[in-house]
Amino acid sequence: MITLSLCMIIKDEELVLDRCLKSIYDVVDEIIIVDTGSTDNSKNICKNYTENIYDYTWNDDFSAARNFSFEKATKDYILWLDADEIIDDENKEKLLNLKQILSFDIDVITMHTYINIDECNNPKLTMIRNRIVKRENNFKWIGFVHEYIKVSGNIYDSDICIIHDKVKPISDRNLKIYKKKVEEKAVFNERDLYYYGKELYCNRYYNEAIEVLEEFISKGTCEEEIIDALCKIGECYLCKDDKEVARKYFYKTFEYGPAQGEILYYIAYSFQSEEKYYRAISWYEIILRLPLSDDCYQCKNRCFLKFKPHLNLCYCYFKVGDIKQAYYHHKNCMEINPNDECVKYNENCFKLIMNNNKNKD
């Protein structure tokens, strides 16, 4: 059976840290904590689970901190987690089983990451990440922000899921690091431009985001990232209320790969917001015919593949007077997430409609 080190970097994570460590401590053989400057109770929480707590002077470089944590590991393989991530009982059993059966010729193990769990425990966002690596291979983290492990060798794709349950509000921490690098006249590679543009978008600097992402597209070589960058530019124009230009960028993605649910959703939604309901319906219906797959290293919004198209088709069909089709899509929403506030509101509306029809009869 393999042995496993858990390596984490933390800063001011007292709201989530105990939850994370409690979910994983009895699966791993060693816990390494690298603290990058906590001023809350984080380090005291960690002491309940491990003595291997190291201070690290923060230098605006996530990879450097993660590589430092990996250097402290002593077991066969290294698992990394963020403090706002947990593993539930079902996936804990899968990981324990994996430890028993894993062949030592495996270099990397991937796991699914589930992000933003809805009221019925359905993940809204999913992605695949390299989660466990063989320690002796000395794989390194790359990138000062949005870091990744540069791996090679035999990769085992597991069905184990990690739940990313963020508690802290989204901050501009990463954007500040990028802007500092810009002030220092640092040379950005393709990946830096890609994530810098996305950070600008997330922080609503839409014009700057468009400029940076356009530069990335002119230099980019990864088609997946180019598609995502084009989509993000389209989203920027939607936020700027320029739907026609937005659609041009969404259509442009089709030159680089097959249609993706998220992009088709934005096209449909742009027509819906213009009250062009039949056009919106045609695009939403295409989405529902796409296969549902999680085999993607990019963050994929699963809501755009089933739940949201059904929800918006309910609205669009209602607006064009087709109550039967509207109700059909509402029932699909009820099967996916009956506890969603919009779905509960629609359920009450349909009950009123049905009651009124009975009274008329």
Side-chain angles (χ1 to χ4, degrees), residues 7 32 42 98 107 113 117 142 161 182 194-195 205 208 252 272 277 318 325 352:
C7 289
I32 305 294
S42 292
L98 180 64
D107 301 293
T113 301
I117 307 301
I142 306 293
C161 300
V182 171
Y194 172 59
Y195 280 106
Y205 293 98
E208 291 179 58
K252 185 75 174 176
Q272 178 184 325
Y277 297 117
F318 187 86
Q325 279 295 312
L352 288 173

Side-chain angles (χ1 to χ4, degrees), residues 1-2 4 26-27 87 89-103 132 156 158-160:
M1 182 172 73
I2 68 163
L4 191 59
D26 53 351
V27 181
I87 185 168
D89 290 340
E90 177 185 354
N91 288 286
K92 184 188 293 186
E93 287 299 316
K94 290 181 180 180
L95 181 53
L96 285 168
N97 182 61
L98 180 64
K99 285 182 64 179
Q100 294 177 359
I101 66 172
L102 189 71
S103 169
I132 298 177
Y156 176 80
S158 80
D159 64 348
I160 300 171

Side-chain angles (χ1 to χ4, degrees), residues 213-234:
L213 289 171
E214 289 277 20
E215 182 181 355
F216 161 74
I217 291 167
S218 70
K219 300 176 179 178
T221 55
C222 174
E223 289 189 346
E224 246 187 19
E225 292 180 351
I226 292 173
I227 290 170
D228 187 48
L230 287 166
C231 182
K232 283 292 177 286
I233 294 175

Side-chain angles (χ1 to χ4, degrees), residues 175 178-179 182 188 192-200 212:
L175 182 59
Y178 279 118
K179 286 188 172 293
V182 171
F188 281 12
D192 296 331
L193 287 171
Y194 172 59
Y195 280 106
Y196 179 32
K198 291 177 69 168
E199 287 291 342
L200 287 164
V212 171

Side-chain angles (χ1 to χ4, degrees), residues 53-75:
I53 303 170
Y54 302 90
D55 290 317
Y56 182 86
T57 302
W58 181 242
N59 59 347
D60 290 338
D61 191 326
F62 283 92
S63 285
R66 290 202 189 273
N67 286 329
F68 179 79
S69 73
F70 275 27
E71 290 168 6
K72 301 300 180 182
T74 64
K75 304 306 178 184

